[in-house]
Amino acid sequence: MNKQFYKDPRFWWTFGLLIVLLATTLEVVRGRNTNYFDYQDSTRMFWEGLSPYNLEYAQAHAIYFLYSPVFSVLFAPIFFLPWWLGPYVWNVGNYTLFSLAIKWLPKPLEPYRLWIFVFLLSVILQTVFCYQHNIIVSYIYIFAFILLEKGKGFWAVLLIMISATTKVYGAAELAILLCYPRFWRNIGYAVLCGALLLLLPAINTAFDNVFVLYKEMFDMIAAHHSDSDFVGILFAVGLKPFLLPNYRVVQLVVFAFLGVAFFLRYKRWKDFHFRVQALAVLTGFMILFSDCPETHTYIICLPFYAMAFWLQPRRTWLDWTLFWSLVVNFCILPTDVLCPAWLHEYIHRTYWVDVYTFFFCWLRILWQAVGPAEPLEVPVKKVAAVVLMLLLPVGLQAQQTRKISHARTYYINGVTFKMLYVEGGTFTMGALPGDTLADADEVRHPVTLQSYYIGETEVTQALWEVVMGKNRSKQKGEDMPVEYVTYEQVQTFIAKLNQMTGKQFRLPTEAEWEYAARGGRRSKGYLYAGSNDPAEVAYTLEHDFDDHHKPVGQKKPNELGLYDMSGNVWEFCEDWYRKTPDGKPSCYFHVIRGGAYDCFSKYSRVTNRFMYDQRRRRMEVGFRLAL
């Protein structure tokens, strides 16, 4: 009898591959493969003899590149591919290697390989969609485990050290070497492979001393703080006030407890089930107690949880409840196609059920691994070795750089809109250096801003209509920016929106508008919002002009993911117009910024300013929200 299609591994692999190709195409076409750009930009800097770990640049642009110089060497073959091909090689290659890792799992796991892959598929695709490095860490963990089970210690250690020398927390898997024969020989391999890999960047003769780059990288790691709400137990509602202020102490205490429990069970090290459970506990600890995990970071620990789950001789109702809760919270809710982003955000931020669920799963596997205490006979030398191995990744656990541009999505009577986070900072407002098009009122002066949120796009006519009940715009279209509204009407809209949402939306100040248009801390100094070529980012008189504005979000976004801050329609700011920063404010004219579809592109520069009578309304003037 023919096998049902859903039991055929080839069906699931092909299904996943098609989604990978589609997702990659969408991100490449929209220019939103930002993580890949980070890999690309840092590799370009490295091979041009520039340091991608410049702390001043990182702090100014909030781009903390935490991958080592070894990564820039290993990524080079992909970097030198054509710009459109590299992202496909990265995504398809990572997807294929992860799939092979699951396919080649050791024999005791053979009956469960398909179900493990299907369980992980959604998380794999989430990781691939945003070009994350975590999937590499995950399949290296799995491949190294497979090789150790086959007695191929050198090749396993080589893979582990490739992971460890590109991003340090990959070194944690060295702890599992204790469970295998020839421990000290394998540690020797680790030292040798690690030393050779760390010297590998010296092939780039543009640097006099490549180890200076490592020092800069560690300085950057030390300067990278984790004060946002990441998806880990340190940040969970109810625990954050107690755990986060003392996160290093918490990490070390939990690590010490795990180390003691692991050595108490040294007699089980030869048991296959225990080794899987130990890896599930180790990787779970790395993510749950990390400084900055995100949902897709769990791809590192979920494979070993799934292995440990299926290997249980008896799965109770509690095990199945926790398992299906993981499916819902990590496979369904974070997938935009299966669940609206606002619903996932609400469930996670309100209840943190995803983090707590995995925490309980982790405790369950931990209990199964160590169980009741046995007589203590601890091999002292091995204890010292594992402490040294694990303190390195714990001490440098700036794990996954969370991009500053996290978003809040709001849902109003069937219409969604998104606000993007802008991390505050100090910048020089006014004409960019060398800008020959600058006007006299673009006076350069320092400005310091607190963090805030700003609309991903201009306010659309759809949102205006659900709030105000009537669309006043002249060129109608739900996804078009609202226009032909006065400043007073905009304030009425904002007041009603605040009443409906309980939030405090407002217009951005002129400084907030310019800072966001420039790209905030991620600014690359572009003349227009996201590019030096206005055709890429703006609708102007010279580019795409057909006597009306266009739907929002169609052009390339800027460094923060904001659309249409150059061109399309002018945007109101809260400020009264001043000719100079210290000048007298007007009593009639507000500032508008960004230029419009019927203006020359010089007016769409990020520093260009214009005055506008608050009583007037025109089809070239709209606005975006701040929060």
Side-chain angles (χ1 to χ4, degrees), residues 533-567:
D533 179 4
E536 287 189 326
V537 295
Y539 298 110
T540 67
L541 191 62
E542 302 105 318
H543 306 101
D544 305 293
F545 177 74
D546 55 7
D547 202 28
H548 64 81
H549 47 69
K550 304 293 193 302
V552 299
Q554 303 299 304
K555 289 278 189 175
K556 176 184 173 183
N558 78 346
E559 298 93 318
L560 292 175
L562 300 168
Y563 293 89
D564 301 315
M565 295 203 81
S566 289

Short mmCIF file of all heavy atoms in Angstrom, two decimals, residues 533-567:
data_model
loop_
_atom_site.label_atom_id
_atom_site.label_comp_id
_atom_site.label_asym_id
_atom_site.label_seq_id
_atom_site.Cartn_x
_atom_site.Cartn_y
_atom_site.Cartn_z
N ASP A 533 20.25 57.49 -3.81
CA ASP A 533 19.53 57.53 -5.09
C ASP A 533 18.05 57.72 -4.79
O ASP A 533 17.39 56.80 -4.31
CB ASP A 533 19.75 56.23 -5.86
CG ASP A 533 19.02 56.21 -7.20
OD1 ASP A 533 18.39 57.23 -7.55
OD2 ASP A 533 19.05 55.16 -7.86
N PRO A 534 17.47 58.89 -5.05
CA PRO A 534 16.06 59.11 -4.72
C PRO A 534 15.11 58.16 -5.43
O PRO A 534 14.02 57.87 -4.92
CB PRO A 534 15.82 60.57 -5.15
CG PRO A 534 16.91 60.88 -6.12
CD PRO A 534 18.09 60.07 -5.68
N ALA A 535 15.51 57.63 -6.58
CA ALA A 535 14.62 56.72 -7.31
C ALA A 535 14.35 55.45 -6.51
O ALA A 535 13.31 54.80 -6.68
CB ALA A 535 15.24 56.36 -8.67
N GLU A 536 15.27 55.06 -5.61
CA GLU A 536 15.11 53.84 -4.82
C GLU A 536 14.08 54.00 -3.70
O GLU A 536 13.44 53.03 -3.30
CB GLU A 536 16.43 53.42 -4.20
CG GLU A 536 17.43 52.85 -5.18
CD GLU A 536 18.63 52.26 -4.48
OE1 GLU A 536 19.06 52.77 -3.42
OE2 GLU A 536 19.16 51.26 -4.99
N VAL A 537 13.94 55.21 -3.18
CA VAL A 537 13.18 55.37 -1.94
C VAL A 537 12.05 56.38 -2.02
O VAL A 537 11.23 56.47 -1.09
CB VAL A 537 14.13 55.79 -0.79
CG1 VAL A 537 15.12 54.68 -0.48
CG2 VAL A 537 14.86 57.09 -1.10
N ALA A 538 11.97 57.16 -3.11
CA ALA A 538 11.04 58.30 -3.11
C ALA A 538 10.23 58.39 -4.41
O ALA A 538 10.74 58.08 -5.49
CB ALA A 538 11.80 59.60 -2.90
N TYR A 539 8.99 58.83 -4.26
CA TYR A 539 8.19 59.28 -5.41
C TYR A 539 8.35 60.79 -5.49
O TYR A 539 7.96 61.52 -4.57
CB TYR A 539 6.72 58.92 -5.23
CG TYR A 539 6.46 57.43 -5.14
CD1 TYR A 539 6.06 56.85 -3.94
CD2 TYR A 539 6.60 56.61 -6.25
CE1 TYR A 539 5.81 55.49 -3.85
CE2 TYR A 539 6.36 55.25 -6.18
CZ TYR A 539 5.97 54.70 -4.97
OH TYR A 539 5.73 53.35 -4.89
N THR A 540 8.93 61.27 -6.58
CA THR A 540 9.17 62.71 -6.75
C THR A 540 8.80 63.12 -8.16
O THR A 540 8.37 62.29 -8.98
CB THR A 540 10.65 63.05 -6.49
OG1 THR A 540 11.45 62.45 -7.52
CG2 THR A 540 11.11 62.54 -5.12
N LEU A 541 9.01 64.39 -8.45
CA LEU A 541 8.66 64.91 -9.77
C LEU A 541 9.48 64.22 -10.86
O LEU A 541 8.98 64.00 -11.97
CB LEU A 541 8.90 66.42 -9.80
CG LEU A 541 8.36 67.19 -11.01
CD1 LEU A 541 6.85 67.07 -11.08
CD2 LEU A 541 8.76 68.66 -10.91
N GLU A 542 10.74 63.86 -10.53
CA GLU A 542 11.58 63.21 -11.53
C GLU A 542 11.41 61.70 -11.55
O GLU A 542 11.79 61.05 -12.52
CB GLU A 542 13.07 63.49 -11.25
CG GLU A 542 13.44 64.96 -11.24
CD GLU A 542 13.65 65.44 -9.81
OE1 GLU A 542 12.85 65.06 -8.93
OE2 GLU A 542 14.60 66.18 -9.59
N HIS A 543 10.85 61.14 -10.48
CA HIS A 543 10.80 59.67 -10.36
C HIS A 543 9.36 59.22 -10.11
O HIS A 543 8.78 59.55 -9.09
CB HIS A 543 11.70 59.21 -9.21
CG HIS A 543 13.10 59.72 -9.32
ND1 HIS A 543 13.56 60.79 -8.59
CD2 HIS A 543 14.13 59.32 -10.10
CE1 HIS A 543 14.82 61.03 -8.90
NE2 HIS A 543 15.19 60.15 -9.82
N ASP A 544 8.79 58.47 -11.05
CA ASP A 544 7.45 57.88 -10.92
C ASP A 544 6.36 58.94 -10.83
O ASP A 544 5.34 58.72 -10.19
CB ASP A 544 7.38 56.98 -9.67
CG ASP A 544 8.45 55.92 -9.68
OD1 ASP A 544 8.36 55.05 -10.56
OD2 ASP A 544 9.35 55.97 -8.83
N PHE A 545 6.54 60.07 -11.46
CA PHE A 545 5.53 61.13 -11.35
C PHE A 545 4.36 60.85 -12.30
O PHE A 545 4.55 60.66 -13.49
CB PHE A 545 6.13 62.49 -11.67
CG PHE A 545 5.11 63.60 -11.65
CD1 PHE A 545 4.62 64.06 -10.44
CD2 PHE A 545 4.63 64.14 -12.83
CE1 PHE A 545 3.68 65.07 -10.40
CE2 PHE A 545 3.68 65.16 -12.80
CZ PHE A 545 3.21 65.62 -11.58
N ASP A 546 3.15 60.81 -11.76
CA ASP A 546 1.95 60.77 -12.59
C ASP A 546 0.83 61.56 -11.93
O ASP A 546 -0.34 61.18 -11.98
CB ASP A 546 1.51 59.34 -12.90
CG ASP A 546 1.29 58.50 -11.65
OD1 ASP A 546 1.35 59.07 -10.55
OD2 ASP A 546 1.08 57.29 -11.78
N ASP A 547 1.20 62.65 -11.26
CA ASP A 547 0.29 63.64 -10.71
C ASP A 547 -0.54 63.15 -9.53
O ASP A 547 -1.60 63.67 -9.25
CB ASP A 547 -0.66 64.18 -11.81
CG ASP A 547 -1.22 65.55 -11.41
OD1 ASP A 547 -0.51 66.27 -10.66
OD2 ASP A 547 -2.33 65.88 -11.83
N HIS A 548 -0.07 62.11 -8.84
CA HIS A 548 -0.71 61.77 -7.56
C HIS A 548 0.24 60.86 -6.78
O HIS A 548 1.18 60.28 -7.33
CB HIS A 548 -2.08 61.11 -7.74
CG HIS A 548 -2.05 59.79 -8.44
ND1 HIS A 548 -1.75 58.62 -7.80
CD2 HIS A 548 -2.28 59.47 -9.74
CE1 HIS A 548 -1.81 57.61 -8.67
NE2 HIS A 548 -2.12 58.11 -9.85
N HIS A 549 -0.04 60.75 -5.51
CA HIS A 549 0.80 59.92 -4.64
C HIS A 549 0.50 58.44 -4.87
O HIS A 549 -0.40 58.07 -5.62
CB HIS A 549 0.60 60.31 -3.18
CG HIS A 549 -0.85 60.43 -2.78
ND1 HIS A 549 -1.69 59.36 -2.70
CD2 HIS A 549 -1.60 61.52 -2.47
CE1 HIS A 549 -2.89 59.76 -2.34
NE2 HIS A 549 -2.86 61.08 -2.19
N LYS A 550 1.26 57.59 -4.18
CA LYS A 550 1.18 56.14 -4.38
C LYS A 550 0.87 55.43 -3.05
O LYS A 550 0.99 56.03 -1.98
CB LYS A 550 2.52 55.62 -4.91
CG LYS A 550 3.01 56.29 -6.17
CD LYS A 550 2.12 56.00 -7.37
CE LYS A 550 2.81 56.42 -8.66
NZ LYS A 550 3.18 57.85 -8.71
N PRO A 551 0.48 54.15 -3.11
CA PRO A 551 0.30 53.39 -1.86
C PRO A 551 1.57 53.39 -1.03
O PRO A 551 2.68 53.41 -1.57
CB PRO A 551 -0.04 51.97 -2.36
CG PRO A 551 -0.61 52.19 -3.74
CD PRO A 551 0.12 53.36 -4.31
N VAL A 552 1.41 53.35 0.26
CA VAL A 552 2.56 53.41 1.16
C VAL A 552 3.35 52.09 1.09
O VAL A 552 2.82 51.04 0.73
CB VAL A 552 2.12 53.68 2.61
CG1 VAL A 552 1.40 55.01 2.72
CG2 VAL A 552 1.25 52.54 3.15
N GLY A 553 4.63 52.17 1.44
CA GLY A 553 5.44 50.97 1.63
C GLY A 553 5.83 50.25 0.37
O GLY A 553 6.14 49.05 0.43
N GLN A 554 5.87 50.93 -0.77
CA GLN A 554 6.22 50.26 -2.02
C GLN A 554 7.69 50.41 -2.38
O GLN A 554 8.25 49.56 -3.06
CB GLN A 554 5.37 50.82 -3.17
CG GLN A 554 3.87 50.71 -2.93
CD GLN A 554 3.43 49.27 -2.78
OE1 GLN A 554 3.68 48.44 -3.64
NE2 GLN A 554 2.80 48.97 -1.67
N LYS A 555 8.30 51.48 -1.94
CA LYS A 555 9.71 51.71 -2.23
C LYS A 555 10.58 51.04 -1.16
O LYS A 555 10.08 50.48 -0.17
CB LYS A 555 9.98 53.22 -2.28
CG LYS A 555 9.39 53.93 -3.49
CD LYS A 555 10.26 53.79 -4.70
CE LYS A 555 9.79 54.69 -5.84
NZ LYS A 555 10.70 54.66 -7.00
N LYS A 556 11.88 51.14 -1.33
CA LYS A 556 12.83 50.58 -0.37
C LYS A 556 12.75 51.34 0.96
O LYS A 556 12.69 52.56 0.97
CB LYS A 556 14.24 50.68 -0.96
CG LYS A 556 15.35 50.22 -0.05
CD LYS A 556 16.70 50.47 -0.72
CE LYS A 556 17.84 50.18 0.25
NZ LYS A 556 19.16 50.48 -0.37
N PRO A 557 12.76 50.63 2.10
CA PRO A 557 12.74 51.33 3.39
C PRO A 557 14.13 51.86 3.75
O PRO A 557 15.13 51.50 3.13
CB PRO A 557 12.31 50.23 4.37
CG PRO A 557 12.86 48.98 3.76
CD PRO A 557 12.74 49.17 2.26
N ASN A 558 14.17 52.71 4.77
CA ASN A 558 15.47 53.20 5.23
C ASN A 558 16.09 52.23 6.23
O ASN A 558 15.60 51.11 6.42
CB ASN A 558 15.35 54.62 5.80
CG ASN A 558 14.78 54.66 7.21
OD1 ASN A 558 14.21 53.67 7.70
ND2 ASN A 558 14.92 55.78 7.87
N GLU A 559 17.16 52.63 6.90
CA GLU A 559 17.90 51.73 7.77
C GLU A 559 17.07 51.20 8.93
O GLU A 559 17.35 50.13 9.48
CB GLU A 559 19.14 52.43 8.34
CG GLU A 559 20.14 52.88 7.28
CD GLU A 559 19.94 54.31 6.81
OE1 GLU A 559 18.77 54.71 6.60
OE2 GLU A 559 20.93 55.02 6.65
N LEU A 560 16.03 51.92 9.33
CA LEU A 560 15.17 51.49 10.44
C LEU A 560 13.95 50.71 9.97
O LEU A 560 13.15 50.27 10.79
CB LEU A 560 14.70 52.71 11.25
CG LEU A 560 15.78 53.45 12.05
CD1 LEU A 560 15.20 54.69 12.69
CD2 LEU A 560 16.39 52.55 13.10
N GLY A 561 13.79 50.57 8.66
CA GLY A 561 12.61 49.88 8.13
C GLY A 561 11.44 50.82 7.90
O GLY A 561 10.31 50.36 7.75
N LEU A 562 11.69 52.13 7.86
CA LEU A 562 10.63 53.12 7.66
C LEU A 562 10.48 53.42 6.17
O LEU A 562 11.47 53.59 5.45
CB LEU A 562 10.96 54.41 8.41
CG LEU A 562 11.12 54.27 9.93
CD1 LEU A 562 11.72 55.53 10.52
CD2 LEU A 562 9.79 53.96 10.58
N TYR A 563 9.23 53.52 5.73
CA TYR A 563 8.94 53.75 4.32
C TYR A 563 8.49 55.18 4.07
O TYR A 563 7.85 55.82 4.91
CB TYR A 563 7.82 52.80 3.86
CG TYR A 563 8.20 51.34 3.84
CD1 TYR A 563 8.02 50.55 4.97
CD2 TYR A 563 8.74 50.76 2.71
CE1 TYR A 563 8.36 49.20 4.96
CE2 TYR A 563 9.08 49.41 2.68
CZ TYR A 563 8.89 48.64 3.81
OH TYR A 563 9.23 47.32 3.80
N ASP A 564 8.82 55.67 2.85
CA ASP A 564 8.26 56.92 2.32
C ASP A 564 8.61 58.16 3.14
O ASP A 564 7.87 59.14 3.13
CB ASP A 564 6.73 56.81 2.19
CG ASP A 564 6.31 55.69 1.26
OD1 ASP A 564 6.92 55.56 0.19
OD2 ASP A 564 5.40 54.92 1.63
N MET A 565 9.72 58.12 3.85
CA MET A 565 10.11 59.35 4.55
C MET A 565 10.74 60.34 3.58
O MET A 565 10.94 61.50 3.92
CB MET A 565 11.05 59.04 5.71
CG MET A 565 10.37 58.22 6.80
SD MET A 565 11.11 58.35 8.42
CE MET A 565 10.44 59.89 9.03
N SER A 566 11.05 59.89 2.40
CA SER A 566 11.39 60.78 1.29
C SER A 566 10.31 60.60 0.22
O SER A 566 10.02 59.48 -0.19
CB SER A 566 12.76 60.44 0.70
OG SER A 566 13.80 60.80 1.59
N GLY A 567 9.72 61.69 -0.20
CA GLY A 567 8.75 61.64 -1.29
C GLY A 567 7.38 61.15 -0.86
O GLY A 567 7.08 61.03 0.32
#
